[in-house]
């Protein structure tokens, strides 16, 4: 019975479904708590109009028609808060690419080896950027369409050619990373009989892409052709890490695996009849990928083994390895060993995806902090205030965000219940963003100052003594260098009169933590004003921590 089950042609498909389902669960869990990050924001903030320019305008140097269209449709229908849906789209495209790789490999080598390769691809921790970061639907979508194009060419008929042409156009309209698939299609079509009748297959997408570049030439960066000399090094650097990523092994074995793959492909190609059109096309594909990447990026400090590139280059090498092994019939035990090793590599890689999720949670978190601050206090700023509450993403401007929320509500910010459930460290990030929006800092006050009638509310003191309040002020006498006074800040602000030493200011609101470095300082013998813009949409007030080595006064501001 077991042998009959193992021989079933459906069993690999059932195993594939189980592996892909497990991968989706793992990927969605690894990316939990992430939100829009960096490249997402220009699409959300600057492409709100339904115009051809909004859809076709280059992102850096790339045409990203279909990813932009997908984002816009999702923004219009589900808004910005349900970020999990954007990650789910990426996971679906990733799984689709894995299934297509399986389909490509199952008739050429073995469905079980195809299963192992697909498993390694969809949980490739070395390229977690393409697995977890939703914006990478452009890379992964291009890869899915590219592999689909190769499968369509396998049909060798008019319908297959039409599908190949359409899929190649889609791939290039997802991202320029698909250009190596265009080169592969051109090589295969020109190599086979009837080449002139079929030239339209790569010709149509090439002409469309060329027309796009001509229209938007003024918005594209100049290609650094002096980088041609970097191509050999890019190929060498990219090859070993891509092979390691392809099978999910550590980098210490990468050089050995790369040499083995090159030797196997070379041996296959040198055999009589071994270098057929598809093998030649797939040999060219990663070389074109690394060459174009080197020309366009090597002068920017970017490396061939960068995280985001490994998904594409590893997939191309997997296709090449499968094609080189085409026709070989391995014994069942050998297939089982190879499949087992690939699945072990996939499991090891999957175990490391959490690290990628942690990085993206940290990187994207500053944007979520900023938009939460915008939702709470952004209405206090004038419409033309173009500042950003995220120092790491200055393009996440309040004025653009307001318009995006109007178009794509609900916002991606923390809701109040979500914010209150967050740990203190994350709340401090929101507090820091609120400090920027409110413009809280120390403003020197010249001349005489008159405090308010009621003194500030002192919440607690540490290593010092707060004297009884008088005339709207509290005098604090520190006992040592660690002394601190914490006072609630009224919406009208506070005045701080420094004594013989400077007074350091730290502020928080929702968090129980304070900034490591002070956000401002009152110079010795001077007065500083600390004042938020005014009441906002949340009831909690800011709290000010004041530290000094000499007595000082803190007063309400009239």
């Amino acid at each position: 019975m077991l042998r009959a089950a193992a021989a079933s042609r459906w069993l690999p498909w059932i195993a594939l479904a189980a592996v892909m389902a497990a991968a989706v669960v793992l990927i969605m869990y690894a990316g939990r708590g992430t939100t829009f990050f960096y490249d997402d924001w220009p699409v959300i903030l600057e492409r709100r109009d339904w115009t051809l320019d909004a859809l076709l305008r280059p992102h850096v140097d790339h045409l990203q028609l279909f990813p932009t269209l997908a984002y816009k449709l999702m923004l219009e229908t589900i808004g910005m808060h349900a970020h999990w849906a954007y990650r789910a789209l990426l996971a679906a495209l990733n799984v689709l690419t894995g299934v297509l790789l399986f389909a490509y490999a199952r008739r050429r080598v073995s469905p079980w080896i195809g299963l192992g390769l697909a498993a390694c691809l969809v949980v490739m921790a070395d390229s977690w950027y393409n697995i977890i970061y939703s914006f990478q639907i452009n890379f992964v979508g291009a890869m899915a369409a590219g592999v689909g194009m190769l499968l369509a060419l396998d049909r060798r008929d008019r319908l297959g050619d039409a599908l190949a042409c359409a899929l190649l156009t889609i791939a290039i309209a997802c991202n320029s990373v698909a250009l190596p698939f265009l080169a592969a299609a051109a090589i295969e079509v020109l190599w086979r009989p009837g080449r002139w009748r079929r030239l339209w297959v790569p010709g149509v997408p090439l002409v469309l892409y060329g027309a796009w570049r001509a229209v938007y030439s003024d918005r594209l960066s100049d290609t650094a052709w002096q980088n041609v000399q970097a191509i050999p090094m890019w190929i060498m650097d990219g090859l070993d890490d891509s092979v390691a990523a392809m099978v999910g092994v550590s980098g210490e074995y990468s050089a050995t695996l790369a040499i083995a793959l090159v030797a196997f492909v070379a041996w296959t190609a040198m055999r009589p009849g071994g270098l057929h059109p598809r093998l030649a096309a797939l040999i060219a594909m990663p070389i074109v990928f690394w060459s174009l990447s080197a020309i366009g990026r090597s002068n920017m400090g970017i490396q061939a083994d960068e995280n985001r590139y490994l998904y594409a280059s590893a997939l191309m090498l997997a296709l090449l390895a499968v094609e080189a092994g085409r026709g070989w019939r391995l014994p069942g035990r050998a297939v089982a060993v190879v499949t087992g090793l690939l699945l072990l590599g996939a499991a090891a890689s999957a175990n490391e995806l959490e690290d990628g999720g942690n990085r993206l949670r940290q990187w994207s978190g500053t944007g979520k902090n900023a938009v939460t601050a915008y939702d709470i206090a952004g209405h206090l700023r004038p419409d033309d205030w173009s500042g950003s509450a995220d120092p790491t993403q200055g393009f996440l401007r309040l004025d653009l965000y307001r318009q995006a929320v109007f178009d794509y509500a609900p916002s991606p910010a923390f809701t109040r219940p979500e914010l209150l459930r967050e740990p203190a460290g994350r709340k401090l990030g929101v507090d820091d963003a609120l400090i920027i929006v409110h413009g809280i800092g120390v403003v020197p006050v010249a001349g005489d100052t008159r405090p308010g009638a009621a003194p500030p509310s002192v919440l607690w003191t540490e290593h010092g003594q707060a004297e009884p309040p008088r005339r709207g002020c509290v005098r604090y006498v520190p006992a040592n260098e660690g002394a601190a006074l914490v006072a609630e800040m009224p919406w009208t602000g506070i005045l701080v009169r420094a004594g013989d030493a400077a007074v350091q200011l730290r502020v928080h609101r929702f968090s129980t933590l304070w900034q490591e470095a002070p956000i401002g300082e009152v110079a010795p013998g001077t007065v500083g004003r600390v004042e938020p813009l005014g009441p906002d949409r949340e009831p909690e007030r800011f709290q000010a921590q004041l530290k000094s080595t000499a007595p000082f006064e803190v007063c309400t501001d009239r």
Side-chain angles (χ1 to χ4, degrees), residues 70-120:
Y71 257 50
K72 287 180 67 63
L73 289 172
M74 295 180 74
L75 288 167
E76 293 281 4
T77 53
I78 65 175
M80 294 187 287
H81 193 75
H83 184 256
W84 65 266
Y86 297 82
R87 293 192 294 110
L89 175 59
L90 175 64
L93 289 172
N94 180 32
V95 165
L96 174 61
T97 309
V99 171
L100 292 172
L101 175 58
F102 168 83
Y104 192 88
R106 72 185 185 94
R107 291 183 178 177
R108 284 171 164 82
V109 285
S110 159
W112 294 107
I113 293 176
L115 170 65
L117 289 172
C120 288

Short mmCIF file of all heavy atoms in Angstrom, two decimals, residues 70-120:
data_model
loop_
_atom_site.label_atom_id
_atom_site.label_comp_id
_atom_site.label_asym_id
_atom_site.label_seq_id
_atom_site.Cartn_x
_atom_site.Cartn_y
_atom_site.Cartn_z
N ALA A 70 -2.20 47.10 -8.32
CA ALA A 70 -2.67 46.25 -7.21
C ALA A 70 -2.78 47.04 -5.92
O ALA A 70 -3.78 46.94 -5.20
CB ALA A 70 -1.73 45.06 -7.03
N TYR A 71 -1.78 47.86 -5.63
CA TYR A 71 -1.82 48.68 -4.42
C TYR A 71 -2.99 49.65 -4.46
O TYR A 71 -3.71 49.81 -3.46
CB TYR A 71 -0.50 49.44 -4.26
CG TYR A 71 0.43 48.85 -3.24
CD1 TYR A 71 0.74 47.50 -3.25
CD2 TYR A 71 1.02 49.64 -2.25
CE1 TYR A 71 1.61 46.95 -2.31
CE2 TYR A 71 1.88 49.10 -1.31
CZ TYR A 71 2.17 47.76 -1.34
OH TYR A 71 3.01 47.23 -0.40
N LYS A 72 -3.18 50.29 -5.58
CA LYS A 72 -4.24 51.29 -5.68
C LYS A 72 -5.61 50.65 -5.51
O LYS A 72 -6.49 51.20 -4.84
CB LYS A 72 -4.14 52.05 -7.00
CG LYS A 72 -2.98 53.04 -7.05
CD LYS A 72 -2.90 53.78 -8.37
CE LYS A 72 -4.08 54.70 -8.57
NZ LYS A 72 -4.15 55.78 -7.58
N LEU A 73 -5.80 49.48 -6.11
CA LEU A 73 -7.09 48.80 -5.96
C LEU A 73 -7.33 48.39 -4.51
O LEU A 73 -8.44 48.52 -3.99
CB LEU A 73 -7.14 47.57 -6.87
CG LEU A 73 -7.25 47.86 -8.37
CD1 LEU A 73 -7.10 46.57 -9.18
CD2 LEU A 73 -8.58 48.54 -8.70
N MET A 74 -6.29 47.91 -3.83
CA MET A 74 -6.43 47.52 -2.44
C MET A 74 -6.64 48.73 -1.54
O MET A 74 -7.45 48.69 -0.60
CB MET A 74 -5.21 46.72 -1.99
CG MET A 74 -5.06 45.39 -2.70
SD MET A 74 -3.62 44.43 -2.18
CE MET A 74 -4.18 43.86 -0.57
N LEU A 75 -5.96 49.82 -1.84
CA LEU A 75 -6.15 51.04 -1.05
C LEU A 75 -7.57 51.57 -1.20
O LEU A 75 -8.17 52.04 -0.22
CB LEU A 75 -5.14 52.10 -1.50
CG LEU A 75 -3.68 51.87 -1.09
CD1 LEU A 75 -2.75 52.80 -1.87
CD2 LEU A 75 -3.49 52.05 0.40
N GLU A 76 -8.11 51.48 -2.40
CA GLU A 76 -9.46 51.97 -2.64
C GLU A 76 -10.52 51.09 -1.98
O GLU A 76 -11.61 51.57 -1.64
CB GLU A 76 -9.73 52.04 -4.15
CG GLU A 76 -8.91 53.07 -4.90
CD GLU A 76 -9.45 54.49 -4.75
OE1 GLU A 76 -10.43 54.67 -3.99
OE2 GLU A 76 -8.88 55.40 -5.37
N THR A 77 -10.22 49.81 -1.80
CA THR A 77 -11.25 48.88 -1.31
C THR A 77 -11.11 48.56 0.17
O THR A 77 -12.11 48.54 0.90
CB THR A 77 -11.21 47.57 -2.11
OG1 THR A 77 -9.87 47.05 -2.11
CG2 THR A 77 -11.64 47.81 -3.55
N ILE A 78 -9.89 48.29 0.65
CA ILE A 78 -9.74 47.90 2.06
C ILE A 78 -9.02 48.94 2.89
O ILE A 78 -8.93 48.80 4.12
CB ILE A 78 -9.01 46.55 2.19
CG1 ILE A 78 -7.58 46.66 1.69
CG2 ILE A 78 -9.75 45.46 1.46
CD1 ILE A 78 -6.77 45.41 1.90
N GLY A 79 -8.50 49.99 2.26
CA GLY A 79 -7.85 51.05 3.01
C GLY A 79 -6.44 50.68 3.44
O GLY A 79 -5.83 49.74 2.91
N MET A 80 -5.94 51.42 4.40
CA MET A 80 -4.53 51.28 4.80
C MET A 80 -4.33 50.51 6.10
O MET A 80 -3.20 50.17 6.43
CB MET A 80 -3.90 52.68 4.95
CG MET A 80 -3.80 53.45 3.66
SD MET A 80 -2.87 54.99 3.85
CE MET A 80 -4.05 55.99 4.76
N HIS A 81 -5.39 50.27 6.85
CA HIS A 81 -5.17 49.69 8.18
C HIS A 81 -4.90 48.19 8.13
O HIS A 81 -4.09 47.67 8.91
CB HIS A 81 -6.38 49.95 9.09
CG HIS A 81 -6.09 49.67 10.53
ND1 HIS A 81 -5.32 50.52 11.30
CD2 HIS A 81 -6.44 48.64 11.34
CE1 HIS A 81 -5.22 50.03 12.53
NE2 HIS A 81 -5.89 48.88 12.57
N ALA A 82 -5.57 47.48 7.23
CA ALA A 82 -5.44 46.02 7.15
C ALA A 82 -4.19 45.66 6.36
O ALA A 82 -4.27 45.10 5.26
CB ALA A 82 -6.69 45.41 6.54
N HIS A 83 -3.03 45.93 6.92
CA HIS A 83 -1.79 45.67 6.19
C HIS A 83 -1.56 44.19 5.95
O HIS A 83 -0.85 43.81 5.01
CB HIS A 83 -0.60 46.26 6.96
CG HIS A 83 0.70 46.13 6.23
ND1 HIS A 83 1.66 45.21 6.58
CD2 HIS A 83 1.18 46.79 5.15
CE1 HIS A 83 2.68 45.30 5.75
NE2 HIS A 83 2.42 46.25 4.87
N TRP A 84 -2.17 43.35 6.74
CA TRP A 84 -2.02 41.90 6.54
C TRP A 84 -2.47 41.48 5.14
O TRP A 84 -1.93 40.52 4.56
CB TRP A 84 -2.83 41.13 7.59
CG TRP A 84 -4.31 41.33 7.46
CD1 TRP A 84 -5.08 42.23 8.11
CD2 TRP A 84 -5.20 40.59 6.60
NE1 TRP A 84 -6.40 42.14 7.71
CE2 TRP A 84 -6.50 41.13 6.80
CE3 TRP A 84 -5.04 39.53 5.71
CZ2 TRP A 84 -7.62 40.62 6.11
CZ3 TRP A 84 -6.15 39.05 5.03
CH2 TRP A 84 -7.42 39.59 5.24
N ALA A 85 -3.44 42.20 4.57
CA ALA A 85 -3.93 41.85 3.24
C ALA A 85 -2.85 42.08 2.18
O ALA A 85 -2.74 41.31 1.21
CB ALA A 85 -5.18 42.65 2.91
N TYR A 86 -2.05 43.10 2.34
CA TYR A 86 -0.96 43.38 1.40
C TYR A 86 0.12 42.30 1.52
O TYR A 86 0.68 41.85 0.52
CB TYR A 86 -0.38 44.76 1.67
CG TYR A 86 -1.37 45.88 1.46
CD1 TYR A 86 -2.29 46.21 2.45
CD2 TYR A 86 -1.41 46.60 0.27
CE1 TYR A 86 -3.22 47.22 2.27
CE2 TYR A 86 -2.32 47.62 0.08
CZ TYR A 86 -3.24 47.93 1.08
OH TYR A 86 -4.16 48.92 0.89
N ARG A 87 0.38 41.88 2.75
CA ARG A 87 1.33 40.80 2.96
C ARG A 87 0.79 39.48 2.41
O ARG A 87 1.55 38.65 1.91
CB ARG A 87 1.67 40.65 4.44
CG ARG A 87 2.44 41.84 5.01
CD ARG A 87 3.00 41.55 6.38
NE ARG A 87 1.97 41.35 7.39
CZ ARG A 87 1.69 40.20 7.96
NH1 ARG A 87 2.34 39.10 7.59
NH2 ARG A 87 0.75 40.11 8.90
N ALA A 88 -0.51 39.30 2.52
CA ALA A 88 -1.13 38.08 1.99
C ALA A 88 -0.99 38.02 0.47
O ALA A 88 -0.79 36.94 -0.11
CB ALA A 88 -2.60 38.01 2.40
N LEU A 89 -1.09 39.17 -0.20
CA LEU A 89 -0.89 39.19 -1.64
C LEU A 89 0.52 38.77 -2.00
O LEU A 89 0.74 37.98 -2.93
CB LEU A 89 -1.18 40.59 -2.19
CG LEU A 89 -0.90 40.80 -3.69
CD1 LEU A 89 -1.73 39.84 -4.54
CD2 LEU A 89 -1.17 42.25 -4.09
N LEU A 90 1.50 39.28 -1.26
CA LEU A 90 2.89 38.87 -1.50
C LEU A 90 3.05 37.37 -1.25
O LEU A 90 3.70 36.67 -2.04
CB LEU A 90 3.83 39.65 -0.59
CG LEU A 90 5.30 39.23 -0.64
CD1 LEU A 90 5.89 39.49 -2.02
CD2 LEU A 90 6.11 39.94 0.44
N ALA A 91 2.47 36.87 -0.16
CA ALA A 91 2.57 35.44 0.15
C ALA A 91 1.95 34.60 -0.97
O ALA A 91 2.48 33.55 -1.35
CB ALA A 91 1.90 35.14 1.49
N ALA A 92 0.83 35.06 -1.52
CA ALA A 92 0.17 34.33 -2.60
C ALA A 92 1.06 34.30 -3.85
O ALA A 92 1.18 33.26 -4.51
CB ALA A 92 -1.18 34.97 -2.92
N LEU A 93 1.68 35.42 -4.20
CA LEU A 93 2.57 35.46 -5.36
C LEU A 93 3.80 34.59 -5.13
O LEU A 93 4.29 33.92 -6.05
CB LEU A 93 2.98 36.90 -5.66
CG LEU A 93 1.88 37.80 -6.23
CD1 LEU A 93 2.37 39.25 -6.30
CD2 LEU A 93 1.44 37.32 -7.61
N ASN A 94 4.30 34.60 -3.92
CA ASN A 94 5.45 33.78 -3.57
C ASN A 94 5.11 32.29 -3.72
O ASN A 94 5.87 31.52 -4.32
CB ASN A 94 5.87 34.10 -2.13
CG ASN A 94 7.07 33.29 -1.68
OD1 ASN A 94 7.95 32.95 -2.46
ND2 ASN A 94 7.11 32.98 -0.39
N VAL A 95 3.97 31.90 -3.19
CA VAL A 95 3.54 30.50 -3.31
C VAL A 95 3.29 30.15 -4.78
O VAL A 95 3.64 29.05 -5.24
CB VAL A 95 2.28 30.26 -2.46
CG1 VAL A 95 1.59 28.95 -2.85
CG2 VAL A 95 2.64 30.24 -0.99
N LEU A 96 2.71 31.07 -5.54
CA LEU A 96 2.48 30.82 -6.97
C LEU A 96 3.81 30.57 -7.67
O LEU A 96 3.92 29.65 -8.51
CB LEU A 96 1.76 32.02 -7.59
CG LEU A 96 1.59 31.98 -9.12
CD1 LEU A 96 0.77 30.76 -9.54
CD2 LEU A 96 0.95 33.27 -9.62
N THR A 97 4.82 31.36 -7.34
CA THR A 97 6.14 31.14 -7.95
C THR A 97 6.69 29.78 -7.59
O THR A 97 7.27 29.07 -8.43
CB THR A 97 7.11 32.24 -7.50
OG1 THR A 97 6.53 33.53 -7.72
CG2 THR A 97 8.42 32.18 -8.28
N GLY A 98 6.52 29.38 -6.32
CA GLY A 98 6.96 28.06 -5.90
C GLY A 98 6.24 26.95 -6.64
O GLY A 98 6.87 25.96 -7.06
N VAL A 99 4.94 27.09 -6.82
CA VAL A 99 4.16 26.07 -7.54
C VAL A 99 4.62 26.00 -9.00
O VAL A 99 4.74 24.90 -9.58
CB VAL A 99 2.65 26.38 -7.44
CG1 VAL A 99 1.85 25.47 -8.36
CG2 VAL A 99 2.18 26.23 -6.00
N LEU A 100 4.87 27.13 -9.62
CA LEU A 100 5.34 27.14 -11.01
C LEU A 100 6.72 26.52 -11.13
O LEU A 100 7.02 25.82 -12.12
CB LEU A 100 5.34 28.57 -11.54
CG LEU A 100 3.96 29.21 -11.72
CD1 LEU A 100 4.09 30.69 -12.06
CD2 LEU A 100 3.17 28.49 -12.80
N LEU A 101 7.59 26.75 -10.15
CA LEU A 101 8.90 26.09 -10.15
C LEU A 101 8.74 24.58 -10.04
O LEU A 101 9.42 23.81 -10.72
CB LEU A 101 9.75 26.63 -9.00
CG LEU A 101 11.12 25.96 -8.79
CD1 LEU A 101 11.99 26.08 -10.04
CD2 LEU A 101 11.83 26.56 -7.58
N PHE A 102 7.83 24.15 -9.17
CA PHE A 102 7.53 22.72 -9.05
C PHE A 102 7.04 22.16 -10.39
O PHE A 102 7.49 21.09 -10.83
CB PHE A 102 6.47 22.52 -7.97
CG PHE A 102 5.87 21.14 -7.94
CD1 PHE A 102 6.51 20.10 -7.28
CD2 PHE A 102 4.66 20.87 -8.58
CE1 PHE A 102 5.96 18.82 -7.26
CE2 PHE A 102 4.11 19.60 -8.57
CZ PHE A 102 4.77 18.57 -7.90
N ALA A 103 6.12 22.88 -11.03
CA ALA A 103 5.59 22.43 -12.31
C ALA A 103 6.69 22.34 -13.37
O ALA A 103 6.69 21.43 -14.22
CB ALA A 103 4.48 23.36 -12.77
N TYR A 104 7.64 23.28 -13.31
CA TYR A 104 8.74 23.26 -14.28
C TYR A 104 9.66 22.07 -14.03
O TYR A 104 10.17 21.45 -14.98
CB TYR A 104 9.54 24.56 -14.17
CG TYR A 104 10.51 24.77 -15.30
CD1 TYR A 104 10.11 25.41 -16.46
CD2 TYR A 104 11.83 24.31 -15.21
CE1 TYR A 104 10.99 25.60 -17.51
CE2 TYR A 104 12.71 24.49 -16.26
CZ TYR A 104 12.29 25.14 -17.41
OH TYR A 104 13.17 25.31 -18.45
N ALA A 105 9.86 21.72 -12.76
CA ALA A 105 10.84 20.69 -12.42
C ALA A 105 10.27 19.28 -12.48
O ALA A 105 11.02 18.32 -12.72
CB ALA A 105 11.41 20.94 -11.03
N ARG A 106 8.98 19.12 -12.29
CA ARG A 106 8.45 17.77 -12.06
C ARG A 106 8.60 16.87 -13.28
O ARG A 106 8.83 15.67 -13.14
CB ARG A 106 6.99 17.84 -11.61
CG ARG A 106 5.99 18.23 -12.67
CD ARG A 106 4.60 18.38 -12.09
NE ARG A 106 3.62 18.65 -13.14
CZ ARG A 106 2.90 17.71 -13.74
NH1 ARG A 106 3.05 16.44 -13.38
NH2 ARG A 106 2.04 18.00 -14.69
N ARG A 107 8.48 17.40 -14.48
CA ARG A 107 8.63 16.57 -15.68
C ARG A 107 10.06 16.53 -16.19
O ARG A 107 10.40 15.69 -17.01
CB ARG A 107 7.70 17.07 -16.79
CG ARG A 107 6.22 16.84 -16.49
CD ARG A 107 5.36 17.30 -17.64
NE ARG A 107 3.95 17.04 -17.37
CZ ARG A 107 2.96 17.39 -18.19
NH1 ARG A 107 3.23 18.02 -19.33
NH2 ARG A 107 1.70 17.13 -17.87
N ARG A 108 10.89 17.45 -15.72
CA ARG A 108 12.26 17.48 -16.20
C ARG A 108 13.19 16.63 -15.34
O ARG A 108 14.10 15.99 -15.85
CB ARG A 108 12.75 18.94 -16.22
CG ARG A 108 12.19 19.72 -17.40
CD ARG A 108 12.52 21.21 -17.26
NE ARG A 108 12.34 21.91 -18.53
CZ ARG A 108 11.18 22.34 -19.00
NH1 ARG A 108 10.07 22.14 -18.28
NH2 ARG A 108 11.11 22.97 -20.16
N VAL A 109 13.01 16.68 -14.03
CA VAL A 109 13.86 15.88 -13.15
C VAL A 109 13.03 14.93 -12.29
O VAL A 109 13.08 13.71 -12.47
CB VAL A 109 14.76 16.78 -12.29
CG1 VAL A 109 15.90 17.34 -13.11
CG2 VAL A 109 13.99 17.89 -11.61
N SER A 110 12.26 15.49 -11.37
CA SER A 110 11.43 14.67 -10.49
C SER A 110 10.47 15.60 -9.77
O SER A 110 10.86 16.70 -9.35
CB SER A 110 12.30 13.95 -9.46
OG SER A 110 11.55 13.55 -8.34
N PRO A 111 9.21 15.20 -9.58
CA PRO A 111 8.29 16.04 -8.81
C PRO A 111 8.75 16.24 -7.37
O PRO A 111 8.50 17.28 -6.78
CB PRO A 111 6.96 15.28 -8.89
CG PRO A 111 7.32 13.89 -9.26
CD PRO A 111 8.55 13.97 -10.09
N TRP A 112 9.47 15.23 -6.83
CA TRP A 112 9.92 15.36 -5.44
C TRP A 112 11.06 16.36 -5.31
O TRP A 112 11.12 17.14 -4.36
CB TRP A 112 10.31 13.99 -4.89
CG TRP A 112 9.13 13.07 -4.79
CD1 TRP A 112 8.85 12.00 -5.58
CD2 TRP A 112 8.04 13.19 -3.87
NE1 TRP A 112 7.65 11.43 -5.21
CE2 TRP A 112 7.14 12.15 -4.14
CE3 TRP A 112 7.75 14.07 -2.83
CZ2 TRP A 112 5.97 11.96 -3.44
CZ3 TRP A 112 6.57 13.90 -2.10
CH2 TRP A 112 5.71 12.86 -2.42
N ILE A 113 11.97 16.33 -6.26
CA ILE A 113 13.04 17.35 -6.25
C ILE A 113 12.44 18.72 -6.51
O ILE A 113 12.85 19.72 -5.89
CB ILE A 113 14.12 17.01 -7.29
CG1 ILE A 113 14.85 15.72 -6.87
CG2 ILE A 113 15.09 18.16 -7.46
CD1 ILE A 113 15.88 15.24 -7.87
N GLY A 114 11.45 18.79 -7.39
CA GLY A 114 10.74 20.06 -7.60
C GLY A 114 10.08 20.55 -6.33
O GLY A 114 10.09 21.75 -6.03
N LEU A 115 9.53 19.64 -5.55
CA LEU A 115 8.93 20.00 -4.26
C LEU A 115 9.97 20.60 -3.33
O LEU A 115 9.74 21.63 -2.69
CB LEU A 115 8.30 18.77 -3.63
CG LEU A 115 7.84 18.91 -2.17
CD1 LEU A 115 6.71 19.91 -2.05
CD2 LEU A 115 7.43 17.55 -1.60
N GLY A 116 11.15 19.96 -3.27
CA GLY A 116 12.21 20.47 -2.40
C GLY A 116 12.69 21.85 -2.81
O GLY A 116 12.89 22.74 -1.97
N LEU A 117 12.87 22.07 -4.12
CA LEU A 117 13.30 23.38 -4.61
C LEU A 117 12.23 24.45 -4.33
O LEU A 117 12.55 25.57 -3.92
CB LEU A 117 13.59 23.31 -6.10
CG LEU A 117 14.86 22.55 -6.51
CD1 LEU A 117 14.91 22.39 -8.02
CD2 LEU A 117 16.11 23.27 -6.01
N ALA A 118 10.97 24.10 -4.55
CA ALA A 118 9.89 25.05 -4.29
C ALA A 118 9.82 25.41 -2.81
O ALA A 118 9.61 26.58 -2.45
CB ALA A 118 8.55 24.46 -4.75
N ALA A 119 10.04 24.43 -1.94
CA ALA A 119 10.02 24.70 -0.50
C ALA A 119 11.15 25.64 -0.11
O ALA A 119 10.95 26.58 0.68
CB ALA A 119 10.13 23.38 0.27
N CYS A 120 12.33 25.41 -0.67
CA CYS A 120 13.46 26.31 -0.37
C CYS A 120 13.19 27.73 -0.85
O CYS A 120 13.56 28.71 -0.18
CB CYS A 120 14.74 25.78 -1.04
SG CYS A 120 15.42 24.30 -0.26
#
